[in-house]
Amino acid sequence: MHPLIFLARMDFTQGNLFGYIEDLQELTIIERPVRRSLKTPEEIERLTVDEELNDIERAVYLLSSGQDIQGTSVVANLPILMRQNPAETLRRVLPKIREVLHVAGVEMQLTAAVSFLTILQEESVSIHTYSHAFLHIILQNLEHRDAGVSNAWLETLLAVIEVLPKETIRHEILNPLVSKAQLSQTLQSRLVSCKIMGKLANKFETHIIKREILPLVKSLCQDVEYEVRTCMCRQLEHIAQGIGTELTKTVVLPELVELARDEGSSVRLAAFETLVNLLEMFDADDRSQTVLPLVKSFCEKSFKADESILVSLSFHLGKLCNGLYGIFTPEQHLRFLEFYKKLCTLGLQQENGHNDNQLQLQTLEQEKKYISVRKNCAYNFPAMIVFVDPKNFHLELYSTFFCLCHDPEVPVRYTMAMGFYEVAKLLNSGVYTIHKELVALLQDESLEVLDALVGHLPEILELMTNGGENSGSESKLLSIPDLIPALTTAEQRAATSLKWRTHEKLLQKYACLPHIISSDQIYYRFLHRMLTIILTNNVLPVQKAAARTLCVYLRYNRKQEQRHEVIQKLIEQLGQGKSYWNRLRFLDTCEFIMELFSKSFFCKYFFLPVLELTHDPVANVRMKLCYLLPKVKSTLKIPTDKLLLQQLELCIRKLLCQEKDKDVLTLVKRTVLELDRMEITVDGFQKRFYENDLLDQEKERQELLLLEMEQLEKEKQQNEGRATNTSDKMFEKKRRESKTSSALGKNVPLSFPGSSSSGTSTGKEGKKSKLVRSQSFSTQALHPKYTNIDKCPNRSAASGYTSSVSGMGKSSVLSFSDDSFRTRSTGNNGNTAFPSSSSLATSSRNSANLSDQKNNGNKESHSRKMSM
């Protein structure tokens, strides 16, 4: 809008004019704080430091006359000064810091505690020098009035005690501790003394502890303040580990028994947790006569009068039950199991409208407490399976497991999902009984639960489908139909949410599915979904995860038509896609192809489509291609791939001559130098590349086995079909002949043509042996060395088949050596060439001649160094 027009439309009446003035006054009020925040010349002068001062002089100046924020900055940089000039820092800077800390604020105190701890960890000075310079400053600030500052200095002191010599600890810390632990001292001082004693118990011999430390421990356990008794009770665990079993039984256990009956609930809670942690140090008599009665009283009081211990009791119940397992009577065993079941449903409404403790109205605080109890019960569920024996799971704990997996609160279900793998391992052959709960957690409304379950999803699915020797095939087959919809639903829910990290994690774990379900199920339910994610998703890590999982699915796919279709879509929709983003993802996919498949597979299907991107109109695509070219060249073998090498050199020359983008041209020049230094692999094994060549040959062998397996399965199906037709005809013929023989009333022996042909049976046996070998490969997938694709990506096996790119003309070479198959190319017609049984037999007969010819070629190629 033009200013003149705007002024013409404004109404300057008296009422409106006052409104405009008020608006202007509001604007001035808004601007006032900005003006007040500006520094005056005097303030700027005080904050200015002479630039000619060195670091030490500047630190001394700022600590002497600077402001608090400048002093805090100097204290924060103290570790740097100690590394640069430790002598001058200790002589000039540290005394100033010691003076300033007496009147310093909380921020500088906390910064100093952290800096002192950093200097100790970096070992900038010796321990003797550190204790002489820093220990007194730490001890002086231990009793700071601010609890946070005091705890910070205490943490630094406890770390220093770990490295100080015994004599220094005894004179500088233990002797003053006797006076600091008296009732006449402040509460903060006595609390600090408790924590220091727990650390000192491991630094001295038993007789010193018995004479000098244990009397102080007993005194603090009977302190008038419950905070001191609680703190000392929690330190008894460290003291018991330092004094040994005998003194623990005679000194620590009586104190724990007395503290367990204390009037303060926090003291009783600390005593209970310390008892559980020290359970292994007590013998069977102490457990049965002392610990078990205490635990029983805790359990009885927890529901009645002392609910404060309920959360802790539920957390330690698994450890407690297994620690006392040997002394339980059958009745006590059943009682503790029922107590656990009761805790698992605490706070939930029952069918009669009442909850477990018969309370109609529950406060918000009680609700939070009950949720914590059920969450702790979920955490202890694997321990309770051990307690009841996995064989009794279905009778004793399955109903509880069902309730916890369907708990209305997310934290409880999240904890069950976290421990689901442990439960599955314990159940072993009975793992199929919890299949419905796995499906329920996969379809949970909370993505947090799904994220917790996904962590061990491959192991869970492996156990669910193959776990246990006694689990019948029927249960496995029944589990698959429910499992696949649950997996697809989980992925779709993660895709529609904003939590892309969960989606990425889920896609990465779905790479295990070829070992779980069939190739057709993956193709129809998961493979095309991965391609859709690559094309439509907007999150780069998610796209890369989907691309890698798709390559794994392609590797294990067992049908030629499906593999060819997927490769065609990758090239057309990604490599030749309209969006440059899709072409970038094609290069990522090709990188995964090179990782998972053999070199021949990549050269036949993806080498030329990758080189076509050198003419891409987008500079980012060409730049990414330049980064990938060294890996692309490493897939070539000479002399087999000589034509592809020429194509690569031609594309690089065009880039050097025609590239206009400066960044891409710089990268091309750098890539050319790297390519020139590379040595191309020659057909056959070489010492330098022996391990890589061996792995690549294994990948080719497995790819060929997949082809052979597919062909043999087709032949088997055809033979079964012919056998079915033949048996039907024979049955009809027999029926007619039986009618004729009955009419004639004579016993005429019947003959079945082809029933005893020796040549046919021999051929069938040979095909059967090949099929058995192929099926064993399909069931085991790969040798363990190469199967774990997620853990060992560089040793991943590759799948697929041995056909060439349309338009690439090469001679077909198939050689067999030590049960290892290698194939490099196909015929000139560009169609996929798959060896039949007869061709395989012919190739095996002529393998000697082919290997001799190849060796002669290798000798010539070895004499030359292949470079750019």
Side-chain angles (χ1 to χ4, degrees):
M1 182 181 292
H2 197 277
L4 295 177
I5 299 175
F6 175 72
L7 290 174
R9 293 181 180 178
M10 292 181 64
D11 185 8
F12 287 101
T13 59
Q14 186 175 4
N16 290 332
L17 187 60
F18 285 126
Y20 298 141
I21 293 174
E22 291 177 358
D23 293 339
L24 293 175
Q25 288 177 348
E26 290 180 0
L27 290 175
T28 58
I29 292 173
I30 294 173
E31 290 183 354
R32 282 174 189 170
V34 179
R35 292 178 180 176
R36 288 177 181 176
S37 65
L38 298 176
K39 299 295 181 183
T40 62
E42 293 80 8
E43 290 174 336
I44 295 175
E45 183 66 25
R46 286 203 307 269
L47 293 172
T48 304
V49 182
D50 190 0
E51 295 181 358
E52 297 180 358
L53 298 177
N54 59 32
D55 293 340
I56 300 296
E57 292 173 347
R58 185 183 297 109
V60 173
Y61 172 77
L62 292 176
L63 289 170
S64 302
S65 58
Q67 295 188 0
D68 289 343
I69 189 172
Q70 293 175 319
T72 303
S73 177
V74 172
V75 174
N77 291 324
L78 186 61
I80 300 176
L81 295 175
M82 287 295 298
R83 288 195 297 267
Q84 295 174 351
N85 194 347
E88 286 297 311
T89 303
L90 292 175
R91 188 176 67 86
R92 300 183 60 186
V93 179
L94 194 60
K96 286 291 183 182
I97 291 177
R98 187 171 185 173
E99 293 176 5
V100 172
L101 285 178
H102 284 293
V103 293
V106 172
E107 186 176 356
M108 186 180 291
Q109 288 276 353
L110 295 173
T111 306
V114 174
S115 297
F116 283 21
L117 182 58
T118 303
I119 294 170
L120 175 70
Q121 294 171 347
E122 293 180 353
E123 299 180 356
S124 302
V125 293
S126 63
I127 296 301
H128 177 75
T129 304
Y130 186 92
S131 61
H132 179 74
F134 293 93
L135 185 58
H136 291 287
I137 303 177
I138 296 172
L139 293 173
Q140 286 176 359
N141 293 279
L142 270 179
E143 300 180 21
H144 196 274
R145 60 182 178 274
D146 187 271
V149 173
S150 178
N151 289 330
W153 285 112
L154 179 61
E155 292 297 326
T156 303
L157 177 63
L158 296 179
V160 172
I161 290 175
E162 290 288 342
V163 296
L164 286 179
K166 291 183 181 180
E167 290 301 320
T168 304
I169 294 175
R170 187 167 187 176
H171 292 292
E172 300 293 339
I173 299 175
L174 183 58
N175 292 339
L177 195 65
V178 177
S179 61
K180 296 290 184 181
Q182 302 300 320
L183 285 173
S184 57
Q185 297 294 323
T186 61
L187 175 63
Q188 184 68 24
S189 177
R190 302 203 299 277
L191 290 174
V192 169
S193 300
C194 293
K195 296 179 181 179
I196 293 176
M197 282 184 194
K199 181 65 70 173
L200 294 180
N202 295 320
K203 304 298 292 185
F204 294 101
E205 292 80 7
T206 305
H207 66 277
I208 297 178
I209 296 175
K210 189 175 182 179
R211 185 177 68 248
E212 299 185 15
I213 296 180
L214 288 183
L216 294 176
V217 170
K218 291 182 178 180
S219 174
L220 291 170
C221 284
Q222 300 172 1
D223 197 276
V224 294
E225 298 292 341
Y226 74 93
E227 294 99 330
V228 179
R229 299 197 301 273
T230 302
C231 184
M232 193 66 248
C233 186
R234 295 193 180 278
Q235 298 302 318
L236 288 178
E237 178 183 352
H238 305 291
I239 294 171
Q241 294 172 356
I243 63 179
T245 305
E246 293 298 327
L247 282 177
T248 299
K249 183 177 180 179
T250 58
V251 178
V252 176
L253 186 57
E255 293 294 334
L256 281 175
V257 172
E258 185 175 353
L259 290 170
R261 301 187 180 98
D262 196 273
E263 60 184 7
S265 59
S266 62
V267 181
R268 296 195 299 272
L269 179 61
F272 170 74
E273 293 178 352
T274 305
L275 270 173
V276 175
N277 294 331
L278 293 177
L279 207 56
E280 297 179 354
M281 300 188 68
F282 303 138
D283 55 22
D285 293 337
D286 292 332
R287 294 180 187 181
S288 60
Q289 298 176 7
T290 307
V291 178
L292 185 57
L294 285 175
V295 172
K296 290 172 64 178
S297 65
F298 282 138
C299 295
E300 293 172 358
K301 293 179 181 179
S302 60
F303 281 108
K304 297 178 181 178
D306 192 6
E307 291 185 352
S308 60
I309 203 173
L310 198 59
V311 177
S312 178
L313 180 62
S314 62
F315 181 77
H316 292 92
L317 191 59
K319 185 177 181 180
L320 194 63
C321 288
N322 286 280
L324 298 175
Y325 182 80
I327 64 171
F328 278 153
T329 63
E331 183 182 355
Q332 292 171 340
H333 186 281
L334 182 60
R335 183 178 301 175
F336 273 88
L337 180 60
E338 292 299 325
F339 179 73
Y340 171 76
K341 292 180 180 179
K342 190 175 183 181
L343 291 179
C344 289
T345 58
L346 185 65
L348 299 177
Q349 296 293 330
Q350 304 297 322
E351 293 181 359
N352 57 4
H354 299 281
N355 55 12
D356 286 340
N357 55 0
Q358 301 299 319
L359 292 176
Q360 293 290 340
L361 299 177
Q362 299 173 352
T363 62
L364 183 61
E365 184 178 355
Q366 285 177 325
E367 281 291 336
K368 292 181 179 179
K369 186 182 297 183
Y370 293 156
I371 293 172
S372 299
V373 169
R374 299 200 303 273
K375 179 182 176 182
N376 292 338
C377 290
Y379 169 78
N380 281 298
F381 197 86
M384 297 307 295
I385 292 179
V386 177
F387 181 64
V388 302
D389 196 319
K391 296 178 181 178
N392 301 322
F393 167 78
H394 194 273
L395 294 176
E396 300 289 348
L397 286 176
Y398 177 73
S399 59
T400 304
F401 183 76
F402 177 85
C403 291
L404 291 174
C405 287
H406 294 82
D407 195 274
E409 299 297 331
V410 173
V412 182
R413 303 196 304 274
Y414 174 86
T415 309
M416 289 301 295
M418 287 290 292
F420 198 94
Y421 175 54
E422 297 297 327
V423 174
K425 280 197 303 183
L426 290 171
L427 294 181
N428 195 9
S429 60
V431 69
Y432 62 89
T433 59
I434 60 173
H435 164 69
K436 293 181 179 179
E437 285 68 36
L438 173 63
V439 172
L441 292 176
L442 282 172
Q443 297 175 338
D444 195 275
E445 59 183 9
S446 173
L447 279 179
E448 296 178 4
V449 177
L450 179 62
D451 187 77
L453 187 67
V454 164
H456 290 285
L457 186 62
E459 295 87 351
I460 294 171
L461 295 179
E462 185 74 22
L463 287 170
M464 196 65 67
T465 55
N466 301 320
E469 299 178 356
N470 299 327
S471 57
S473 58
E474 295 181 0
S475 63
K476 297 178 188 178
L477 294 175
L478 289 175
S479 66
I480 298 297
D482 295 334
L483 194 59
I484 293 177
L487 292 172
T488 55
T489 302
E491 188 277 322
Q492 290 170 0
R493 289 189 60 255
T496 55
S497 70
L498 297 178
K499 297 182 179 181
W500 63 265
R501 288 181 177 85
T502 301
H503 194 200
E504 177 196 11
K505 186 178 177 182
L506 192 69
L507 294 176
Q508 290 172 349
K509 298 298 182 181
Y510 275 16
C512 72
L513 292 182
H515 304 283
I516 309 299
I517 58 180
S518 68
S519 176
D520 284 338
Q521 289 172 324
I522 290 176
Y523 177 78
Y524 290 110
R525 301 301 294 270
F526 296 97
L527 195 146
H528 291 286
R529 174 61 183 165
M530 297 300 156
L531 185 60
T532 303
I533 293 172
I534 301 172
L535 292 170
T536 60
N537 199 281
N538 297 324
V539 182
L540 179 58
V542 173
Q543 288 180 313
K544 286 188 174 182
R548 192 179 191 283
T549 302
L550 184 143
C551 293
V552 175
Y553 292 165
L554 181 63
R555 183 252 156 284
Y556 287 106
N557 191 279
R558 296 177 57 182
K559 289 190 177 180
Q560 171 189 347
E561 296 179 359
Q562 295 176 0
R563 292 192 296 266
H564 185 72
E565 179 189 350
V566 173
I567 293 174
Q568 189 101 7
K569 287 184 177 180
L570 286 176
I571 295 173
E572 293 178 356
Q573 300 183 17
L574 288 181
Q576 301 171 0
K578 295 182 179 179
S579 172
Y580 84 97
W581 191 255
N582 289 340
R583 300 195 294 274
L584 288 174
R585 301 293 73 77
F586 176 71
L587 293 177
D588 290 331
T589 306
C590 288
E591 196 168 358
F592 295 133
I593 291 288
M594 287 185 280
E595 172 190 336
L596 299 172
F597 290 79
S598 65
K599 296 178 180 179
S600 61
F601 182 90
F602 177 80
C603 289
K604 291 172 185 176
Y605 293 102
F606 294 95
F607 193 92
L608 292 180
V610 167
L611 292 187
E612 288 178 4
L613 294 179
T614 55
H615 309 290
D616 197 277
V618 179
N620 285 349
V621 178
R622 302 195 301 274
M623 187 176 295
K624 188 175 181 65
L625 175 62
C626 291
Y627 283 114
L628 195 63
L629 283 179
K631 289 185 178 181
V632 172
K633 185 180 178 182
S634 66
T635 62
L636 297 176
K637 290 184 179 182
I638 296 299
T640 309
D641 298 324
K642 186 177 180 180
L643 295 177
L644 295 182
L645 179 61
Q646 293 175 359
Q647 292 286 337
L648 176 63
E649 293 174 351
L650 180 62
C651 291
I652 293 175
R653 290 194 191 99
K654 289 183 179 179
L655 279 175
L656 284 172
C657 298
Q658 301 175 3
E659 185 57 53
K660 298 180 181 179
D661 190 277
K662 295 181 180 179
D663 296 330
V664 179
L665 185 60
T666 303
L667 185 58
V668 170
K669 293 178 181 179
R670 191 187 313 161
T671 305
V672 167
L673 295 176
E674 185 177 353
L675 292 174
D676 189 47
R677 290 192 294 267
M678 288 180 61
E679 295 185 12
I680 302 179
T681 305
V682 181
D683 281 335
F685 289 99
Q686 296 174 280
K687 292 183 178 179
R688 286 170 296 178
F689 310 110
Y690 180 78
E691 185 177 354
N692 293 332
D693 290 344
L694 188 65
L695 179 60
D696 185 66
Q697 190 185 40
E698 178 68 19
K699 290 178 181 179
E700 287 190 24
R701 185 183 71 84
Q702 291 160 1
E703 290 167 7
L704 192 58
L705 277 177
L706 282 174
L707 291 174
E708 184 181 359
M709 175 171 45
E710 179 184 3
Q711 186 172 359
L712 291 177
E713 286 179 352
K714 288 181 179 179
E715 292 181 1
K716 180 183 176 182
Q717 292 175 359
Q718 293 174 359
N719 292 335
E720 289 177 353
R722 287 197 296 267
T724 303
N725 295 333
T726 304
S727 62
D728 292 341
K729 292 179 181 178
M730 291 172 62
F731 177 77
E732 183 65 23
K733 183 178 180 181
K734 182 178 178 181
R735 187 176 61 83
R736 291 197 302 266
E737 289 179 354
S738 63
K739 289 183 179 179
T740 305
S741 62
S742 61
L744 295 175
K746 298 180 180 179
N747 293 328
V748 181
L750 300 178
S751 62
F752 300 95
S755 60
S756 61
S757 176
S758 60
T760 306
S761 63
T762 305
K764 289 183 178 180
E765 289 296 328
K767 292 182 179 180
K768 186 180 294 184
S769 63
K770 288 184 180 181
L771 183 59
V772 169
R773 179 159 58 93
S774 302
Q775 288 177 344
S776 66
F777 170 73
S778 66
T779 53
Q780 297 174 0
L782 291 174
H783 189 275
K785 183 178 181 182
Y786 304 107
T787 48
N788 200 341
I789 294 175
D790 293 329
K791 296 181 180 178
C792 303
N794 293 330
R795 291 183 172 268
S796 305
S799 93
Y801 41 105
T802 57
S803 59
S804 67
V805 178
S806 178
M808 274 303 299
K810 291 186 181 180
S811 60
S812 178
V813 180
L814 183 64
S815 64
F816 295 75
S817 176
D818 297 333
D819 197 28
S820 299
F821 309 120
R822 300 182 64 254
T823 178
R824 297 300 298 164
S825 56
T826 59
N828 293 332
N829 57 2
N831 295 329
T832 307
F834 295 93
S836 62
S837 300
S838 60
S839 64
L840 287 175
T842 306
S843 300
S844 63
R845 287 194 299 269
N846 299 328
S847 61
N849 298 329
L850 289 175
S851 61
D852 292 338
Q853 294 173 8
K854 182 173 280 189
N855 290 333
N856 294 332
N858 290 340
K859 290 178 182 178
E860 295 178 1
S861 59
H862 272 297
S863 62
R864 296 175 297 174
K865 179 179 179 182
M866 304 302 297
S867 61
M868 290 295 298

